[in-house]
Amino acid sequence: MKGFWRGLVKLLSPVLGGLFLCAALIGYLTPDALTAATTDSAFLNGNFPLSLHYEENTVTAAASDKQTPSLKAQLLLLGFFPVKEVNVTISDHQQVYVGGNAFGLRLYTDGLVVSSISSIQTEKGIADPAADAGLEQGDILLSVNGETLCTNEQLADIVTGQADTPLHFRVKRGERIFSADITPVYDTQTKSSKLGLHVRDSIAGIGTMTFIDPDSHRFAGLGHGLCDTASGCLMPLLNGDIVPIRITSVVKSMCGHPGTLCGSFADSDAEGTLSQNSEHGVYGQINTLPQQGELIPVAFRQEIVRGAAQLICTIDDTSGPCAYNVEIEDISYNDRQSVKNMVIHITDERLLRQTGGIVQGMSGSPILQNGQLAGALTHVFINDPTRGYAVFAETMTAFTDR
């Protein structure tokens, strides 16, 4: 009998070991918290045979709680093997108007963003005043000698004629604010005083609307933040707006060369105001709700699966937002990916003929699956413009309350 049990243990050990390793991997790849419509909701349909098991008393408590209860549940593999404990918030699907229309953005920065640091030719040789003062690309200049900085021209006027005179700056780097004294030098090439840095006070471009909340009139677009192209720094928002755009042409994407939507601002009158520039997109207040918009639910991330979906985008002025076939090829359900949650493959021949795939300006284009808003396009693969990344719509909606 003992031999039987030893043989059984020996036989099952590799299986159990494999299950433990698989559970550990799945635990890493799945989120620690999620939102579901009911306690009966399936979990992660796309990757693994997983389910949630709640304690009976917590489900009973949830049924009597009117304030979106948060529950603890055990994540199970194959219905019986424990993976980890997760927090589950029970909530109705948010209903939104889906976008897909291109719009123009104008953003003005809160302070001046250091786009690059440069050397200066002086009578005594090469000088690096900004670098010597410890400034770095991506720093934000808040003030100089107590004067709040708002525009490039303002800083240029202050620096003019101040060679060899130290200027006292307040600088923001990440969450830290510090002081830096920079002494301008006389540039023998431009015949003027210089700090050895280039700054930006604004940015403009084209993006795509993702959705509009019908109650608050708040909109979300882009799916990623507006960044300085040189430093990659997220532009700090002072104020900004969105305006109608006239698409004039499309530069098609090719391997190694992403294309772009080309256009101009059709009107100087703003359609809405910007209130937030975050890594998950731009947010603001829209002036007018869509005339004939249809409300659709925002999918919870675990409801999204690999397979067919539709991308809504605008690539010309005549047809407006159109639906194109795409394939969701990969999904990262965990909390470690902020905006690259899905890999999207453009399969629609119409879109491929006109754009070559994903082009700049399509960022924020809504992705629909099974009658729900699944996500928004964010990035193009440079070496394969038929593919790109997308962010969960659920992640974007979390910022509409801020």
Side-chain angles (χ1 to χ4, degrees):
M1 195 66 173
K2 290 182 179 180
F4 169 78
W5 288 113
R6 288 196 191 98
L8 184 62
V9 169
K10 187 175 181 180
L11 179 66
L12 292 179
S13 290
V15 176
L16 293 174
L19 279 173
F20 276 113
L21 287 175
C22 187
L25 176 62
I26 293 172
Y28 177 81
L29 294 175
T30 51
D32 297 323
L34 64 140
T35 305
T38 69
T39 54
D40 297 326
S41 298
F43 182 64
L44 300 190
N45 314 341
N47 281 346
F48 310 105
L50 298 173
S51 59
L52 292 168
H53 175 70
Y54 300 87
E55 294 293 334
E56 185 174 348
N57 58 340
T58 61
V59 176
T60 303
S64 61
D65 191 345
K66 307 298 184 183
Q67 305 294 323
T68 59
S70 181
L71 311 175
K72 290 191 180 297
Q74 192 67 232
L75 188 62
L76 302 177
L77 175 63
L78 299 172
F80 72 92
F81 197 85
V83 174
K84 67 177 180 180
E85 190 176 72
V86 296
N87 294 315
V88 183
T89 300
I90 306 300
S91 175
D92 294 333
H93 288 89
Q94 184 174 346
Q95 303 284 324
V96 297
Y97 291 114
V98 172
N101 52 301
F103 62 93
L105 299 112
R106 301 182 296 205
L107 180 150
Y108 303 94
T109 59
D110 185 11
L112 304 182
V113 177
V114 177
S115 186
S116 62
I117 307 288
S118 60
S119 299
I120 302 170
Q121 182 65 53
T122 72
E123 293 178 347
K124 298 179 181 179
I126 298 296
D128 299 281
D132 291 343
L135 262 68
E136 298 178 0
Q137 195 178 46
D139 286 345
I140 301 169
L141 306 182
L142 301 177
S143 67
V144 56
N145 293 343
E147 181 178 341
T148 300
L149 289 169
C150 299
T151 67
N152 299 347
E153 292 78 9
Q154 176 192 10
L155 179 60
D157 290 342
I158 292 172
V159 173
T160 298
Q162 296 298 311
D164 301 322
T165 302
L167 300 176
H168 182 71
F169 286 85
R170 292 282 288 169
V171 184
K172 185 175 182 180
R173 180 180 298 163
E175 298 300 319
R176 184 168 69 96
I177 296 177
F178 60 94
S179 299
D181 291 327
I182 311 176
T183 303
V185 296
Y186 186 75
D187 188 335
T188 56
Q189 295 180 331
T190 63
K191 311 297 182 185
S192 60
S193 300
K194 296 290 184 181
L195 293 169
L197 50 78
H198 302 277
V199 296
R200 296 192 68 172
D201 59 9
S202 61
I203 190 171
I206 298 175
T208 299
M209 186 77 67
T210 306
F211 65 84
I212 302 171
D213 182 271
D215 299 320
S216 65
H217 290 209
R218 280 181 62 80
F219 71 86
L222 284 190
H224 61 74
L226 278 172
C227 297
D228 173 48
T229 52
S231 66
C233 172
L234 193 69
M235 301 290 277
L237 174 67
L238 178 63
N239 57 63
D241 52 32
I242 61 171
V243 294
I245 197 75
R246 181 183 298 112
I247 298 174
T248 56
S249 63
V250 178
V251 177
K252 293 180 67 172
S253 284
M254 298 182 293
C255 182
H257 300 281
T260 185
L261 291 179
C262 302
S264 59
F265 290 177
D267 196 333
S268 59
D269 293 335
E271 292 183 315
T273 56
L274 294 176
S275 60
Q276 188 176 3
N277 180 33
S278 80
E279 64 174 338
H280 298 103
V282 295
Y283 298 82
Q285 204 78 13
I286 197 78
N287 295 340
T288 306
L289 290 176
Q291 292 286 331
Q292 298 176 327
E294 178 185 358
L295 290 173
I296 73 166
V298 175
F300 299 128
R301 70 177 117 178
Q302 68 272 13
E303 297 173 328
I304 305 167
V305 297
R306 291 189 181 97
Q310 295 77 45
L311 179 75
I312 313 297
C313 63
T314 302
I315 56 175
D316 61 60
D317 279 339
T318 57
S319 56
C322 294
Y324 299 95
N325 294 326
V326 299
E327 192 86 7
I328 299 177
E329 291 189 332
D330 192 28
I331 306 171
S332 177
Y333 293 101
N334 64 37
D335 301 313
R336 297 166 187 83
Q337 294 287 352
S338 57
V339 296
K340 298 178 179 179
N341 303 133
M342 295 176 277
V343 174
I344 306 299
H345 182 203
I346 307 294
T347 58
D348 199 300
E349 290 298 329
R350 297 172 301 153
L351 189 58
L352 293 173
R353 281 196 303 269
Q354 293 176 280
T355 66
I358 300 166
V359 299
Q360 297 177 67
M362 286 169 58
S363 293
S365 296
I367 298 164
L368 307 185
Q369 187 182 64
N370 298 324
Q372 298 187 106
L373 177 60
L377 194 65
T378 59
H379 299 81
V380 59
F381 289 4
I382 294 177
N383 293 324
D384 181 5
T386 68
R387 289 178 168 84
Y389 287 116
V391 62
F392 291 138
E394 181 186 8
T395 300
M396 292 184 70
T397 58
F399 284 77
T400 56
D401 298 328
R402 301 186 181 185

